[in-house]
């Protein structure tokens, strides 16, 4: 179970980082929207995904200490 949570946390964080990179890249070229979503919304979603990944990693680390 620990490995599953850690793997899901890693995948979610990587998707979040990719979403942030895409949002910053499109915004740097002058765009404001991607697939009907405002880029700030995608940036916030990416940050939220990274936060979920961090909480997953913290949970696993907390289990290893016990």
């Amino acid at each position: 179970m620990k490995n599953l949570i850690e793997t899901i946390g890693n995948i979610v964080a990587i998707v979040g980082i990719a979403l942030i990179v895409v949002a910053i890249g499109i915004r740097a070229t002058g765009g404001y929207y991607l697939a009907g979503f405002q880029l700030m919304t995608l940036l916030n979603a990416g940050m939220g995904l990274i936060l979920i990944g961090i909480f997953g990693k913290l949970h696993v680390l907390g289990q290893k200490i016990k």
Side-chain angles (χ1 to χ4, degrees), residues 2 4-17 19-20 42-61:
K2 292 178 188 177
L4 179 64
I5 292 173
E6 188 173 10
T7 303
I8 290 173
N10 288 338
I11 292 170
V12 168
I14 290 169
V15 170
I17 291 169
L19 195 59
I20 288 174
L42 295 178
L43 184 67
N44 287 332
M47 288 189 292
L49 289 173
I50 290 173
L51 187 63
I52 291 169
I54 289 170
F55 283 144
K57 296 288 273 185
L58 283 173
H59 178 74
V60 170
L61 286 173

